[in-house]
Amino acid sequence: MTLTLGGRGRDNSTAIAWADRTLTYADLDVAVEQWPHLPVHGARSHDASALELPDALICVFAAARQGSAVRVEDPSTRPERAEQPSPDAFLLVATSGSTGRPKPLARTAASWVDSFPEFTEITGLRPTDTVLITGPLHATMHLFAAVHALWLGACVTDDPAQATAVHAVPAVLRDVLRRMPRARVAVAAGAGLDDAAAQAISAQQIRLVEYYGSAELSLVAARVVGEHASLRLLRDVEARTEDGYLFVRSPYAALGARGWFGVGDLAELNGSELLVHGRGDAAINVGGTTVIAEDVENILTALDGVRAAAAIGTPHAVLGETVSAVIELDGTRDLDLVRADARAVMAKEALPRRWTVVQQLPRTASGKIARSALQ
């Protein structure tokens, strides 16, 4: 399967409505066709990294049509690439950098496009949807969302008031859905979906889909909240655990991540059902008890008065580590009340011993907590 524009048979339908610029599928097709080819002697890949979203997407689809590679990276933190891209490479992207400096990745067009039909089936997204993109394209979850929308024939937008669908990390979803009166589908990824957020979103009669994946592996598992309790592996994806760590073999993996590959996530498997506990490097060893940072964060975020939370380990002379919490309050309750609520519901090993209130947690471009900055 190749990457093509899905709306070419609906030429007058809107493909991109971004800021003050609107492109129909006819406009987009012409722009893709007219995008300059790479010189015979010169750059080996197109570079969409510093382009505004409409032009970046034109460049991506032009590269696909030309059979070339295209870079979509954060211009401020470009990863070093030691060699020329593989002849099979299409997208030159990077990891999120949530636990360190972004790492370079390359993937084929098929490693995304072949998953699009099943992703469409799971999400229920339609060509008539208007899909809100909530972050820069160098965050691969946003690039995936935009490319899938244009492959499907839907519209990509930055206007929440017009959007019927959205892809975002859970913390962003909670905020943006308040400004989406036409919301029909919400896709949560990039971080675990806590119960409080799931209940709040589902109460709005919105189809809520959660998926697990990574920049290296793309889609691994997904579920429709309310229909399935657990994430389920995609049809052609295999998984296993070793010492609690998840390893995946997938046709959707990036080049260099084929075969059995792990990104350091702790998980449990029951047949095709997957329960992800979070990054192993975000596990906190409290007196011999392993506390998963994401589990602590989900509990804290569900407390009244907490807008967002991060948990990290702090060295302790006796216990090895203790849990420290860095939180954003929403202004409705003070820290003492939040701490009292936490004591009532949390095991003593997981209960934060140190609390820090900040105006805004450091985040990556995709909206995930930047743990390296917190440390």
Side-chain angles (χ1 to χ4, degrees):
M1 190 179 297
T2 58
L3 178 60
T4 57
L5 293 172
R8 295 180 71 180
R10 302 186 298 113
D11 288 349
N12 292 323
S13 60
T14 302
I16 301 174
W18 197 266
D20 57 354
R21 189 174 178 186
T22 301
L23 295 171
T24 66
Y25 270 94
D27 299 330
L28 185 57
D29 186 50
V30 170
V32 167
E33 192 64 30
Q34 292 179 345
W35 195 263
H37 286 245
L38 293 173
V40 176
H41 301 289
R44 296 286 298 275
S45 61
H46 292 284
D47 195 345
S49 304
L51 301 177
E52 295 295 324
L53 179 136
D55 288 326
L57 290 174
I58 292 169
C59 182
V60 168
F61 276 85
R65 193 173 292 184
Q66 295 170 16
S68 303
V70 56
R71 298 182 70 169
V72 189
E73 301 166 335
D74 185 345
S76 64
T77 57
R78 282 183 180 273
E80 293 186 8
R81 294 185 180 273
E83 56 189 25
Q84 294 291 349
S86 161
D88 296 330
F90 166 52
L91 288 174
L92 305 179
V93 291
T95 60
S96 67
S98 58
T99 58
R101 187 168 181 81
K103 298 176 183 177
L105 297 172
R107 61 170 56 251
T108 65
S111 69
W112 270 7
V113 179
D114 287 355
S115 72
F116 283 175
E118 188 172 2
F119 182 69
T120 304
E121 176 186 330
I122 294 167
T123 58
L125 288 166
R126 306 166 183 162
T128 52
D129 277 312
T130 298
V131 181
L132 179 67
I133 305 301
T134 57
L137 295 182
H138 60 72
T140 55
M141 67 173 290
H142 302 311
L143 181 60
F144 181 95
V147 170
H148 172 264
L150 295 181
W151 170 89
L152 181 63
C155 174
V156 170
T157 190
D158 62 347
D159 184 0
Q162 298 302 316
T164 61
V166 58
H167 297 238
V169 296
V172 173
L173 273 184
R174 284 193 296 269
D175 174 64
V176 77
L177 283 172
R178 301 188 188 101
R179 296 178 281 122
M180 289 180 60
R182 302 175 60 200
R184 189 182 71 80
V185 177
V187 181
L193 181 66
D194 59 274
D195 291 340
Q199 291 172 5
I201 295 169
S202 298
Q204 301 177 53
Q205 303 300 308
I206 295 170
R207 182 179 176 87
L208 176 58
V209 177
E210 178 185 18
Y211 76 78
Y212 166 76
S214 70
E216 299 94 334
L217 296 170
S218 190
L219 289 172
V220 173
R223 68 173 178 136
V224 180
V225 177
E227 293 182 13
H228 306 292
S230 302
L231 294 164
R232 297 185 175 187
L233 296 173
L234 269 67
R235 283 189 287 265
D236 295 326
V237 173
E238 299 174 86
R240 71 185 189 202
T241 58
E242 295 179 10
D243 297 325
Y245 284 88
L246 178 67
F247 291 85
V248 173
R249 184 162 62 183
S250 170
Y252 312 132
L255 295 170
R258 298 293 174 87
W260 289 104
F261 187 84
V263 295
D265 284 336
L266 296 167
E268 296 177 41
L269 272 170
N270 181 14
S272 64
E273 295 187 349
L274 177 67
L275 176 61
V276 180
H277 293 298
R279 292 301 292 265
D281 55 12
I284 305 166
N285 190 337
V286 183
T289 299
T290 300
V291 176
I292 304 301
E294 282 89 343
D295 292 346
V296 174
E297 291 161 1
N298 286 341
I299 294 171
L300 295 178
T301 304
L303 299 177
D304 290 340
V306 178
R307 179 184 295 115
I312 56 175
T314 299
H316 189 275
V318 177
L319 298 174
E321 289 182 292
T322 58
V323 178
S324 293
V326 186
I327 64 173
E328 298 174 17
L329 297 176
D330 64 12
T332 61
R333 308 178 84 229
D334 63 25
L335 179 58
D336 287 341
L337 291 175
V338 170
R339 292 174 66 174
D341 287 348
R343 284 195 297 270
V345 298
M346 298 183 74
K348 65 178 182 178
E349 293 85 1
L351 182 67
R353 294 198 177 192
R354 179 184 296 176
W355 297 74
T356 302
V357 178
V358 297
Q359 290 295 316
Q360 187 170 9
L361 286 163
R363 295 185 179 276
T364 66
S366 65
K368 294 191 288 186
I369 295 170
R371 296 189 183 281
S372 56
L374 285 174
Q375 295 290 354

